[in-house]
Amino acid sequence: MIKVITYGTFDMLHYGHIRLLERAKALGDYLIVGITSDDYDKTRGKINNHQSLMERITAVKATGLADEILVEEYEGQKIDDIRRLGADIFTVGSDWVGYFDYLNEYCKVIYLPRTEGISSTEVRAEKRKLRIGLVGTAAFRTKFINEAKYVNGVEVVGIYEARQPSEPEEDSLFYTDNYDELLEKVDAVYILSKPELHYEHTKKALSVGKHVLCESPIACTGKQCGELYDLARQRGLILMDAIKTAYSTAYERLLLMAKGGKIGRVVSIDAVCTSLRDSVMSEWNSMCSWAPAAMLPVFQFFGVNYRDRIFFTMFQDRQKNIDAYTKIDFVYDTGVASVKVAQGAKAEGELIITGTKGYIYVPAPWWKTDYFEVRFENPEDNKRFFYQLDGEGIRYEIVAFSKAVESGKDMNYVSRGISEAIAGVIGDFNERKGLIEIGAAAK
Ligand code: CTP
Protein backbone atom coordinates (compact mmCIF):
# COMPACT_ATOMS: atom_id res chain seq x y z
CA MET A 1 0.00 0.00 0.00
CA ILE A 2 1.39 3.40 -0.99
CA LYS A 3 0.83 6.05 1.68
CA VAL A 4 0.73 9.71 0.63
CA ILE A 5 0.95 12.63 3.05
CA THR A 6 0.18 16.33 2.46
CA TYR A 7 -0.11 19.44 4.63
CA GLY A 8 -1.91 22.75 4.54
CA THR A 9 -4.02 25.29 6.36
CA PHE A 10 -7.13 24.66 4.22
CA ASP A 11 -8.88 27.84 5.33
CA MET A 12 -12.20 28.45 3.51
CA LEU A 13 -11.75 25.22 1.54
CA HIS A 14 -11.82 25.98 -2.20
CA TYR A 15 -11.53 23.99 -5.41
CA GLY A 16 -7.74 24.56 -5.51
CA HIS A 17 -7.52 22.56 -2.29
CA ILE A 18 -9.90 19.88 -3.52
CA ARG A 19 -7.96 19.41 -6.76
CA LEU A 20 -4.75 19.15 -4.76
CA LEU A 21 -6.27 16.51 -2.47
CA GLU A 22 -7.68 14.53 -5.43
CA ARG A 23 -4.32 14.42 -7.17
CA ALA A 24 -2.51 13.62 -3.93
CA LYS A 25 -4.87 10.71 -3.33
CA ALA A 26 -4.32 9.46 -6.89
CA LEU A 27 -0.58 9.19 -6.21
CA GLY A 28 -1.15 6.24 -3.88
CA ASP A 29 -3.70 4.16 -1.96
CA TYR A 30 -3.99 5.99 1.33
CA LEU A 31 -4.04 9.75 1.93
CA ILE A 32 -2.98 11.44 5.16
CA VAL A 33 -3.76 15.16 5.46
CA GLY A 34 -1.96 17.33 8.01
CA ILE A 35 -3.86 20.46 8.97
CA THR A 36 -2.02 23.27 10.71
CA SER A 37 -3.15 24.14 14.23
CA ASP A 38 -4.14 27.73 14.96
CA ASP A 39 -1.06 28.19 17.17
CA TYR A 40 1.28 26.79 14.55
CA ASP A 41 -0.17 29.07 11.91
CA LYS A 42 0.44 32.02 14.21
CA THR A 43 4.13 31.16 14.42
CA ARG A 44 4.29 30.90 10.62
CA GLY A 45 2.95 34.44 10.36
CA LYS A 46 -0.37 33.19 8.92
CA ILE A 47 -2.85 34.87 11.11
CA ASN A 48 -6.50 35.61 10.90
CA ASN A 49 -7.57 32.40 9.25
CA HIS A 50 -11.27 32.74 8.88
CA GLN A 51 -11.98 29.31 10.19
CA SER A 52 -10.96 27.60 13.38
CA LEU A 53 -8.98 24.37 13.35
CA MET A 54 -12.16 22.32 13.95
CA GLU A 55 -13.97 24.00 11.08
CA ARG A 56 -11.03 23.39 8.75
CA ILE A 57 -10.81 19.73 9.79
CA THR A 58 -14.54 19.28 9.26
CA ALA A 59 -14.30 20.77 5.77
CA VAL A 60 -11.41 18.51 4.74
CA LYS A 61 -13.19 15.49 6.21
CA ALA A 62 -16.30 16.33 4.21
CA THR A 63 -14.40 15.98 0.93
CA GLY A 64 -14.16 12.25 1.68
CA LEU A 65 -10.66 12.26 0.20
CA ALA A 66 -8.62 11.95 3.39
CA ASP A 67 -8.16 8.50 4.91
CA GLU A 68 -6.54 10.05 7.95
CA ILE A 69 -6.31 13.60 9.29
CA LEU A 70 -3.71 14.88 11.73
CA VAL A 71 -2.92 18.25 13.23
CA GLU A 72 0.44 19.90 12.52
CA GLU A 73 1.62 21.66 15.63
CA TYR A 74 5.35 22.15 15.52
CA GLU A 75 8.38 22.83 13.40
CA GLY A 76 9.93 19.56 12.21
CA GLN A 77 6.76 17.54 12.74
CA LYS A 78 6.64 16.50 9.08
CA ILE A 79 9.74 14.34 9.55
CA ASP A 80 8.24 12.75 12.65
CA ASP A 81 4.94 12.05 10.89
CA ILE A 82 6.54 10.58 7.78
CA ARG A 83 8.64 8.18 9.85
CA ARG A 84 5.95 7.31 12.35
CA LEU A 85 3.24 6.70 9.78
CA GLY A 86 5.51 5.21 7.15
CA ALA A 87 4.51 7.64 4.39
CA ASP A 88 5.98 6.82 0.97
CA ILE A 89 5.20 10.11 -0.76
CA PHE A 90 5.08 13.68 0.53
CA THR A 91 3.25 16.11 -1.73
CA VAL A 92 2.25 19.79 -1.77
CA GLY A 93 1.42 22.43 -4.35
CA SER A 94 4.02 23.93 -6.68
CA ASP A 95 4.05 27.18 -4.66
CA TRP A 96 6.42 25.24 -2.37
CA VAL A 97 8.84 23.94 -5.03
CA GLY A 98 12.26 23.26 -3.52
CA TYR A 99 11.17 24.12 -0.01
CA PHE A 100 10.58 20.55 1.10
CA ASP A 101 13.43 18.87 -0.77
CA TYR A 102 15.00 18.03 2.59
CA LEU A 103 12.24 15.46 3.07
CA ASN A 104 13.68 13.38 0.18
CA GLU A 105 15.81 11.74 2.83
CA TYR A 106 12.68 10.17 4.32
CA CYS A 107 10.32 9.63 1.36
CA LYS A 108 9.64 10.72 -2.21
CA VAL A 109 8.73 14.41 -2.58
CA ILE A 110 6.33 15.45 -5.34
CA TYR A 111 5.24 19.03 -6.07
CA LEU A 112 1.88 19.15 -7.83
CA PRO A 113 1.00 22.09 -10.09
CA ARG A 114 -0.98 24.67 -8.15
CA THR A 115 -4.45 25.48 -9.45
CA GLU A 116 -4.35 28.92 -11.03
CA GLY A 117 -6.61 31.76 -9.99
CA ILE A 118 -7.70 30.75 -6.52
CA SER A 119 -6.32 30.91 -2.98
CA SER A 120 -7.62 31.24 0.57
CA THR A 121 -6.19 34.74 0.60
CA GLU A 122 -8.35 35.68 -2.37
CA VAL A 123 -11.45 34.05 -0.94
CA ARG A 124 -10.91 36.00 2.29
CA ALA A 125 -10.25 39.21 0.37
CA GLU A 126 -13.64 39.02 -1.33
CA LYS A 127 -15.09 40.03 1.97
CA ARG A 128 -14.91 43.78 2.46
CA LYS A 129 -12.06 44.88 4.68
CA LEU A 130 -12.73 46.35 8.09
CA ARG A 131 -11.67 50.00 7.82
CA ILE A 132 -10.07 51.19 11.05
CA GLY A 133 -9.43 54.80 12.03
CA LEU A 134 -6.97 55.72 14.75
CA VAL A 135 -7.71 58.31 17.40
CA GLY A 136 -4.85 59.99 19.21
CA THR A 137 -1.12 60.38 19.29
CA ALA A 138 0.38 57.85 21.69
CA ALA A 139 3.85 56.67 20.74
CA PHE A 140 2.76 53.09 20.00
CA ARG A 141 0.47 54.26 17.18
CA THR A 142 3.07 53.45 14.53
CA LYS A 143 3.39 49.92 15.92
CA PHE A 144 -0.33 49.41 15.49
CA ILE A 145 -0.22 50.64 11.88
CA ASN A 146 2.61 48.22 11.10
CA GLU A 147 1.04 45.30 12.91
CA ALA A 148 -2.32 45.76 11.16
CA LYS A 149 -0.54 44.95 7.90
CA TYR A 150 -0.06 41.36 9.07
CA VAL A 151 -3.76 40.85 9.58
CA ASN A 152 -5.99 39.76 6.74
CA GLY A 153 -9.22 41.64 6.30
CA VAL A 154 -8.40 44.89 8.09
CA GLU A 155 -6.93 48.15 6.91
CA VAL A 156 -5.97 51.30 8.76
CA VAL A 157 -7.31 54.14 6.64
CA GLY A 158 -6.96 57.35 8.61
CA ILE A 159 -6.00 59.15 11.77
CA TYR A 160 -7.72 61.77 13.87
CA GLU A 161 -5.65 64.01 16.04
CA ALA A 162 -6.60 67.34 17.62
CA ARG A 163 -3.47 68.81 16.07
CA GLN A 164 -1.92 67.65 12.80
CA PRO A 165 1.22 65.57 13.25
CA SER A 166 4.53 67.05 12.23
CA GLU A 167 5.55 63.79 10.58
CA PRO A 168 2.73 61.59 9.29
CA GLU A 169 3.53 57.86 9.43
CA GLU A 170 2.39 57.01 5.92
CA ASP A 171 1.27 58.89 2.83
CA SER A 172 -1.53 56.42 2.17
CA LEU A 173 -3.32 57.42 5.39
CA PHE A 174 -5.50 60.47 5.65
CA TYR A 175 -5.07 62.77 8.63
CA THR A 176 -7.79 64.96 10.04
CA ASP A 177 -8.35 67.20 13.03
CA ASN A 178 -12.09 66.65 12.69
CA TYR A 179 -13.30 63.57 14.58
CA ASP A 180 -16.64 63.47 12.71
CA GLU A 181 -14.80 63.27 9.42
CA LEU A 182 -12.81 60.27 10.60
CA LEU A 183 -15.92 58.54 11.92
CA GLU A 184 -17.67 58.98 8.58
CA LYS A 185 -14.94 57.15 6.74
CA VAL A 186 -14.39 54.11 8.94
CA ASP A 187 -16.17 51.02 10.31
CA ALA A 188 -14.24 50.99 13.57
CA VAL A 189 -11.82 53.05 15.62
CA TYR A 190 -8.82 52.23 17.74
CA ILE A 191 -8.65 54.82 20.50
CA LEU A 192 -5.28 55.73 21.96
CA SER A 193 -5.94 59.32 22.90
CA LYS A 194 -5.18 60.57 26.41
CA PRO A 195 -6.98 58.42 29.00
CA GLU A 196 -9.25 61.30 30.12
CA LEU A 197 -10.59 61.52 26.54
CA HIS A 198 -11.34 57.81 26.09
CA TYR A 199 -14.87 58.05 27.41
CA GLU A 200 -15.82 60.94 25.15
CA HIS A 201 -14.16 59.47 22.06
CA THR A 202 -15.63 56.01 22.63
CA LYS A 203 -19.11 57.32 23.35
CA LYS A 204 -19.18 59.37 20.19
CA ALA A 205 -17.92 56.52 18.02
CA LEU A 206 -20.49 54.09 19.45
CA SER A 207 -23.31 56.62 19.06
CA VAL A 208 -22.67 56.83 15.33
CA GLY A 209 -22.49 53.05 14.92
CA LYS A 210 -18.74 52.39 14.93
CA HIS A 211 -17.02 49.50 16.69
CA VAL A 212 -14.35 50.46 19.21
CA LEU A 213 -11.05 49.00 20.31
CA CYS A 214 -9.86 51.22 23.15
CA GLU A 215 -6.65 51.37 25.12
CA SER A 216 -7.21 50.65 28.77
CA PRO A 217 -8.61 52.33 30.85
CA ILE A 218 -11.68 52.66 28.62
CA ALA A 219 -12.98 55.37 30.96
CA CYS A 220 -11.85 57.06 34.16
CA THR A 221 -14.57 55.58 36.35
CA GLY A 222 -16.11 52.12 36.52
CA LYS A 223 -19.56 53.66 36.05
CA GLN A 224 -18.66 55.44 32.83
CA CYS A 225 -17.00 52.30 31.55
CA GLY A 226 -20.18 50.30 32.25
CA GLU A 227 -22.22 52.96 30.47
CA LEU A 228 -20.10 52.51 27.35
CA TYR A 229 -20.49 48.72 27.39
CA ASP A 230 -24.26 49.17 27.74
CA LEU A 231 -24.29 51.55 24.80
CA ALA A 232 -22.27 49.11 22.69
CA ARG A 233 -24.67 46.30 23.54
CA GLN A 234 -27.76 48.37 22.76
CA ARG A 235 -26.34 49.32 19.38
CA GLY A 236 -25.08 45.82 18.57
CA LEU A 237 -21.47 47.02 18.44
CA ILE A 238 -18.19 45.64 19.69
CA LEU A 239 -16.31 47.48 22.43
CA MET A 240 -13.01 45.85 23.29
CA ASP A 241 -10.30 46.61 25.80
CA ALA A 242 -6.87 46.80 24.15
CA ILE A 243 -4.57 45.24 26.72
CA LYS A 244 -2.03 43.49 24.51
CA THR A 245 -0.92 41.05 27.19
CA ALA A 246 -4.34 39.40 27.18
CA TYR A 247 -3.72 38.20 23.62
CA SER A 248 -0.41 36.44 24.28
CA THR A 249 -0.64 32.65 24.15
CA ALA A 250 1.98 32.17 26.87
CA TYR A 251 0.09 34.52 29.17
CA GLU A 252 -3.19 32.65 28.57
CA ARG A 253 -1.50 29.32 29.24
CA LEU A 254 0.20 30.36 32.45
CA LEU A 255 -3.06 31.67 33.80
CA LEU A 256 -4.80 28.40 32.96
CA MET A 257 -1.97 26.50 34.58
CA ALA A 258 -2.34 28.51 37.78
CA LYS A 259 -6.12 28.01 37.69
CA GLY A 260 -5.64 24.31 37.07
CA GLY A 261 -3.86 23.91 40.40
CA LYS A 262 -0.39 23.20 39.01
CA ILE A 263 1.26 25.25 41.77
CA GLY A 264 -1.27 24.37 44.46
CA ARG A 265 -3.47 27.05 45.93
CA VAL A 266 -2.48 30.52 44.73
CA VAL A 267 -1.74 32.84 47.63
CA SER A 268 -0.16 35.83 45.97
CA ILE A 269 0.33 37.57 42.63
CA ASP A 270 3.09 40.14 42.19
CA ALA A 271 3.32 42.12 38.97
CA VAL A 272 5.85 44.84 38.19
CA CYS A 273 5.80 47.11 35.12
CA THR A 274 8.19 50.03 34.76
CA SER A 275 9.66 52.13 31.97
CA LEU A 276 11.74 55.28 32.17
CA ARG A 277 10.47 57.20 29.17
CA ASP A 278 9.77 60.93 29.39
CA SER A 279 7.73 61.23 26.22
CA VAL A 280 5.11 58.87 27.60
CA MET A 281 5.22 60.59 30.99
CA SER A 282 3.91 63.83 29.61
CA GLU A 283 0.52 62.45 28.56
CA TRP A 284 -0.01 59.21 30.42
CA ASN A 285 0.81 58.86 34.09
CA SER A 286 2.30 55.61 35.44
CA MET A 287 -1.11 54.39 36.58
CA CYS A 288 -2.76 54.72 33.16
CA SER A 289 0.29 53.53 31.23
CA TRP A 290 0.91 50.41 33.23
CA ALA A 291 -1.68 49.57 35.87
CA PRO A 292 -4.29 48.12 33.45
CA ALA A 293 -1.82 45.48 32.21
CA ALA A 294 -0.40 44.90 35.68
CA MET A 295 -3.87 44.42 37.22
CA LEU A 296 -4.97 42.01 34.47
CA PRO A 297 -3.53 38.81 35.99
CA VAL A 298 -4.76 39.88 39.42
CA PHE A 299 -8.36 40.39 38.28
CA GLN A 300 -8.34 37.45 35.90
CA PHE A 301 -7.15 35.16 38.64
CA PHE A 302 -8.63 36.45 41.89
CA GLY A 303 -11.64 38.24 40.38
CA VAL A 304 -12.69 41.85 40.82
CA ASN A 305 -14.27 41.63 44.27
CA TYR A 306 -11.29 42.40 46.45
CA ARG A 307 -11.81 42.98 50.13
CA ASP A 308 -9.41 45.87 50.49
CA ARG A 309 -7.07 47.96 48.39
CA ILE A 310 -4.45 50.57 49.08
CA PHE A 311 -2.29 52.79 46.87
CA PHE A 312 1.23 53.94 47.79
CA THR A 313 2.24 56.71 45.43
CA MET A 314 5.22 58.91 44.84
CA PHE A 315 4.08 61.85 42.72
CA GLN A 316 6.20 63.53 40.12
CA ASP A 317 3.64 66.28 39.68
CA ARG A 318 0.66 66.11 42.02
CA GLN A 319 -1.34 68.87 40.25
CA LYS A 320 -1.08 67.15 36.89
CA ASN A 321 -1.76 63.80 38.53
CA ILE A 322 1.54 62.39 37.29
CA ASP A 323 2.81 59.58 39.49
CA ALA A 324 6.44 58.52 39.30
CA TYR A 325 5.73 55.29 41.18
CA THR A 326 2.61 53.59 42.47
CA LYS A 327 2.23 50.35 44.35
CA ILE A 328 -1.25 48.90 44.73
CA ASP A 329 -1.95 46.20 47.30
CA PHE A 330 -5.10 44.13 46.92
CA VAL A 331 -6.45 41.91 49.64
CA TYR A 332 -8.79 39.02 48.78
CA ASP A 333 -10.41 36.39 50.97
CA THR A 334 -8.13 33.76 49.44
CA GLY A 335 -4.92 35.68 48.79
CA VAL A 336 -3.14 38.96 48.17
CA ALA A 337 -1.76 40.78 45.16
CA SER A 338 0.68 43.56 44.63
CA VAL A 339 1.05 45.67 41.53
CA LYS A 340 3.97 48.05 41.09
CA VAL A 341 4.00 50.54 38.22
CA ALA A 342 6.44 53.32 37.47
CA GLN A 343 7.63 55.71 34.85
CA GLY A 344 9.85 57.56 37.28
CA ALA A 345 11.53 54.55 38.87
CA LYS A 346 13.02 51.33 37.58
CA ALA A 347 12.64 47.74 38.76
CA GLU A 348 12.68 44.22 37.31
CA GLY A 349 9.49 43.84 35.24
CA GLU A 350 8.57 40.34 36.35
CA LEU A 351 5.41 38.49 37.25
CA ILE A 352 5.35 35.94 40.05
CA ILE A 353 2.37 33.82 40.99
CA THR A 354 2.99 32.17 44.33
CA GLY A 355 1.25 28.91 45.17
CA THR A 356 1.32 26.47 48.06
CA LYS A 357 3.24 23.88 46.00
CA GLY A 358 5.37 26.06 43.72
CA TYR A 359 5.34 29.27 41.74
CA ILE A 360 5.09 30.59 38.21
CA TYR A 361 7.87 32.94 37.22
CA VAL A 362 7.67 35.18 34.16
CA PRO A 363 10.84 37.14 33.45
CA ALA A 364 10.87 40.78 32.33
CA PRO A 365 9.19 42.10 30.33
CA TRP A 366 6.38 39.78 31.47
CA TRP A 367 3.67 41.84 29.72
CA LYS A 368 5.13 40.68 26.40
CA THR A 369 5.15 37.10 27.59
CA ASP A 370 6.49 34.37 25.36
CA TYR A 371 8.20 32.36 28.07
CA PHE A 372 7.60 31.30 31.65
CA GLU A 373 8.77 28.80 34.20
CA VAL A 374 6.91 26.72 36.73
CA ARG A 375 9.25 26.25 39.66
CA PHE A 376 9.18 23.95 42.65
CA GLU A 377 11.20 23.28 45.78
CA ASN A 378 12.99 20.50 43.96
CA PRO A 379 14.55 22.10 40.86
CA GLU A 380 14.27 18.80 39.00
CA ASP A 381 10.51 19.28 38.89
CA ASN A 382 10.82 22.72 37.24
CA LYS A 383 9.31 23.17 33.78
CA ARG A 384 9.86 25.80 31.11
CA PHE A 385 7.29 26.90 28.55
CA PHE A 386 7.70 28.92 25.38
CA TYR A 387 5.02 30.16 22.98
CA GLN A 388 5.96 32.40 20.10
CA LEU A 389 4.67 35.95 20.43
CA ASP A 390 4.92 38.11 17.34
CA GLY A 391 4.41 41.84 17.32
CA GLU A 392 4.03 42.06 21.11
CA GLY A 393 0.54 40.60 20.82
CA ILE A 394 -0.79 43.59 18.87
CA ARG A 395 -1.54 41.62 15.73
CA TYR A 396 -3.44 38.95 17.70
CA GLU A 397 -5.40 41.71 19.37
CA ILE A 398 -6.34 43.09 15.93
CA VAL A 399 -7.31 39.59 14.78
CA ALA A 400 -9.52 39.14 17.85
CA PHE A 401 -11.13 42.52 17.26
CA SER A 402 -11.86 41.90 13.59
CA LYS A 403 -13.25 38.44 14.37
CA ALA A 404 -15.46 39.90 17.08
CA VAL A 405 -16.77 42.52 14.65
CA GLU A 406 -17.42 39.94 11.97
CA SER A 407 -19.16 37.43 14.22
CA GLY A 408 -20.89 40.04 16.38
CA LYS A 409 -19.60 38.14 19.40
CA ASP A 410 -17.28 39.57 22.02
CA MET A 411 -14.18 37.36 22.20
CA ASN A 412 -13.89 38.18 25.87
CA TYR A 413 -10.12 38.27 26.25
CA VAL A 414 -10.67 41.11 28.72
CA SER A 415 -14.18 40.78 30.13
CA ARG A 416 -16.47 43.71 30.72
CA GLY A 417 -16.24 43.18 34.48
CA ILE A 418 -12.46 43.47 34.36
CA SER A 419 -12.54 46.56 32.13
CA GLU A 420 -14.91 48.19 34.60
CA ALA A 421 -12.79 47.19 37.59
CA ILE A 422 -9.69 48.66 35.93
CA ALA A 423 -11.49 51.93 35.19
CA GLY A 424 -12.77 51.90 38.78
CA VAL A 425 -9.27 51.62 40.22
CA ILE A 426 -8.05 54.46 37.99
CA GLY A 427 -11.02 56.57 39.15
CA ASP A 428 -10.26 55.88 42.81
CA PHE A 429 -6.61 56.75 42.25
CA ASN A 430 -7.63 60.05 40.62
CA GLU A 431 -9.77 60.81 43.66
CA ARG A 432 -6.98 59.67 46.01
CA LYS A 433 -9.25 57.10 47.64
CA GLY A 434 -7.19 54.92 49.96
CA LEU A 435 -3.99 56.53 48.77
CA ILE A 436 -0.91 57.01 50.91
CA GLU A 437 1.61 59.41 49.51
CA ILE A 438 5.29 58.62 49.86
CA GLY A 439 8.27 61.01 49.52
CA ALA A 440 8.11 63.39 46.54
CA ALA A 441 10.30 62.35 43.63
CA ALA A 442 13.50 64.28 43.05
CA LYS A 443 13.16 66.48 39.98
N1 CTP B 1 -3.14 24.71 -3.31
C1 CTP B 1 -3.26 24.45 -4.69
N2 CTP B 1 -3.88 25.36 -5.49
C2 CTP B 1 -4.38 26.50 -4.98
C3 CTP B 1 -4.29 26.78 -3.59
C4 CTP B 1 -3.66 25.85 -2.78
O1 CTP B 1 -2.80 23.42 -5.17
N3 CTP B 1 -4.95 27.38 -5.80
C5 CTP B 1 -2.46 23.75 -2.48
C6 CTP B 1 -1.22 24.33 -1.80
O2 CTP B 1 -0.12 24.28 -2.66
C7 CTP B 1 -1.06 23.37 -0.61
C8 CTP B 1 -2.53 23.04 -0.25
O3 CTP B 1 -3.31 23.38 -1.39
O4 CTP B 1 -0.42 22.19 -1.02
C9 CTP B 1 -2.99 23.81 0.98
O5 CTP B 1 -2.73 25.19 0.73
P1 CTP B 1 -3.06 26.39 1.71
O6 CTP B 1 -1.80 27.11 1.99
O7 CTP B 1 -3.88 25.90 2.84
O8 CTP B 1 -4.03 27.26 0.75
P2 CTP B 1 -3.84 28.64 0.00
O9 CTP B 1 -5.09 28.89 -0.78
O10 CTP B 1 -2.55 28.66 -0.77
O11 CTP B 1 -3.79 29.62 1.25
P3 CTP B 1 -3.22 31.12 1.41
O12 CTP B 1 -3.87 31.95 0.35
O13 CTP B 1 -3.63 31.51 2.81
O14 CTP B 1 -1.71 31.01 1.26
Side-chain angles (χ1 to χ4, degrees):
M1 183 172 71
I2 299 175
K3 279 188 173 182
V4 182
I5 192 161
T6 188
Y7 292 84
T9 304
F10 301 103
D11 189 28
M12 322 274 290
L13 197 83
H14 52 69
Y15 70 86
H17 293 142
I18 294 171
R19 288 203 52 214
L20 185 284
L21 293 175
E22 283 168 352
R23 285 172 296 153
K25 175 113 182 171
L27 292 172
D29 311 300
Y30 188 86
L31 178 65
I32 306 162
V33 182
I35 304 182
T36 46
S37 72
D38 295 328
D39 278 353
Y40 183 59
D41 262 332
K42 270 187 191 174
T43 64
R44 300 191 313 150
K46 263 206 176 190
I47 55 176
N48 204 11
N49 286 331
H50 256 81
Q51 294 180 303
S52 67
L53 174 62
M54 274 323 288
E55 288 169 321
R56 291 181 285 124
I57 291 177
T58 309
V60 170
K61 218 180 210 167
T63 65
L65 292 163
D67 296 292
E68 189 174 335
I69 291 178
L70 55 85
V71 177
E72 184 182 22
E73 293 179 281
Y74 58 90
E75 204 81 44
Q77 185 182 326
K78 292 187 181 73
I79 298 177
D80 272 355
D81 291 341
I82 290 167
R83 284 204 290 216
R84 188 171 48 89
L85 301 166
D88 304 287
I89 298 173
F90 167 90
T91 186
V92 278
S94 52
D95 40 329
W96 296 99
V97 167
Y99 195 85
F100 292 109
D101 288 357
Y102 70 94
L103 293 174
N104 271 310
E105 203 182 317
Y106 309 95
C107 67
K108 192 170 172 190
V109 175
I110 299 178
Y111 299 102
L112 291 168
R114 192 182 155 90
T115 306
E116 292 300 316
I118 179 91
S119 71
S120 300
T121 309
E122 284 165 71
V123 177
R124 285 188 297 250
E126 278 164 20
K127 304 193 171 217
R128 197 169 72 76
K129 284 191 175 175
L130 180 73
R131 293 167 307 162
I132 304 182
L134 309 191
V135 181
T137 33
F140 43 86
R141 188 172 76 186
T142 316
K143 270 191 199 164
F144 187 93
I145 294 172
N146 291 331
E147 287 299 311
K149 291 178 188 150
Y150 289 95
V151 183
N152 296 311
V154 306
E155 109 187 275
V156 174
V157 293
I159 296 181
Y160 157 72
E161 227 177 273
R163 54 189 149 76
Q164 295 284 319
S166 45
E167 273 185 60
E169 283 97 339
E170 305 213 349
D171 296 339
S172 58
L173 302 175
F174 75 86
Y175 287 80
T176 173
D177 54 7
N178 179 342
Y179 191 29
D180 294 308
E181 189 193 340
L182 181 90
L183 290 173
E184 263 170 38
K185 294 182 178 165
V186 300
D187 310 303
V189 285
Y190 166 49
I191 296 177
L192 65 162
S193 49
K194 287 188 216 177
E196 53 272 30
L197 297 173
H198 289 179
Y199 171 75
E200 184 188 318
H201 284 148
T202 301
K203 190 170 178 177
K204 185 151 188 189
L206 292 172
S207 347
V208 296
K210 310 296 169 179
H211 304 279
V212 176
L213 173 66
C214 183
E215 273 303 319
S216 208
I218 288 180
C220 290
T221 67
K223 192 166 165 280
Q224 284 189 334
C225 184
E227 209 184 285
L228 294 172
Y229 274 100
D230 284 341
L231 180 60
R233 200 183 42 214
Q234 280 157 22
R235 315 267 334 226
L237 296 165
I238 296 296
L239 169 58
M240 236 172 78
D241 203 315
I243 303 179
K244 293 179 275 301
T245 311
Y247 304 88
S248 127
T249 309
Y251 172 78
E252 278 179 279
R253 299 284 154 91
L254 75 87
L255 213 62
L256 290 172
M257 225 170 260
K259 284 195 177 164
K262 189 103 185 156
I263 52 170
R265 200 165 69 75
V266 170
V267 288
S268 145
I269 297 180
D270 297 271
V272 182
C273 299
T274 73
S275 61
L276 280 172
R277 256 180 282 133
D278 288 344
S279 55
V280 187
M281 262 310 248
S282 57
E283 300 223 312
W284 291 60
N285 60 12
S286 303
M287 273 298 287
C288 287
S289 292
W290 284 119
M295 290 190 283
L296 189 67
V298 176
F299 290 158
Q300 287 190 320
F301 191 86
F302 282 131
V304 297
N305 298 317
Y306 45 86
R307 207 165 68 196
D308 217 340
R309 188 210 56 222
I310 186 162
F311 299 101
F312 299 95
T313 294
M314 179 160 81
F315 282 104
Q316 182 91 22
D317 186 327
R318 196 179 298 99
Q319 264 69 46
K320 289 191 183 147
N321 199 29
I322 302 280
D323 55 330
Y325 173 92
T326 294
K327 174 174 190 269
I328 319 172
D329 282 339
F330 293 94
V331 182
Y332 287 85
D333 288 337
T334 56
V336 290
S338 151
V339 158
K340 294 174 197 162
V341 296
Q343 290 190 113
K346 192 71 198 158
E348 186 71 10
E350 58 192 15
L351 171 69
I352 297 173
I353 305 182
T354 310
T356 49
K357 292 188 181 148
Y359 65 101
I360 294 175
Y361 173 71
V362 194
W366 73 264
W367 53 92
K368 299 182 205 169
T369 316
D370 59 8
Y371 173 78
F372 63 92
E373 293 179 19
V374 184
R375 295 180 176 172
F376 299 94
E377 187 66 38
N378 179 0
E380 280 176 18
D381 299 332
N382 291 358
K383 286 205 165 61
R384 300 183 176 89
F385 297 87
F386 175 79
Y387 301 91
Q388 180 88 18
L389 177 74
D390 296 306
E392 298 176 19
I394 300 173
R395 66 183 78 158
Y396 310 140
E397 170 183 279
I398 303 173
V399 168
F401 181 60
S402 89
K403 285 199 169 153
V405 168
E406 190 176 322
S407 65
K409 276 189 244 135
D410 189 349
M411 300 286 152
N412 238 348
Y413 282 84
V414 182
S415 68
R416 169 184 178 154
I418 289 179
S419 269
E420 282 177 16
I422 289 172
V425 171
I426 300 288
D428 288 351
F429 172 84
N430 292 346
E431 288 183 21
R432 313 279 187 258
K433 273 191 196 156
L435 185 147
I436 295 176
E437 202 177 326
I438 54 171
K443 286 266 153 127

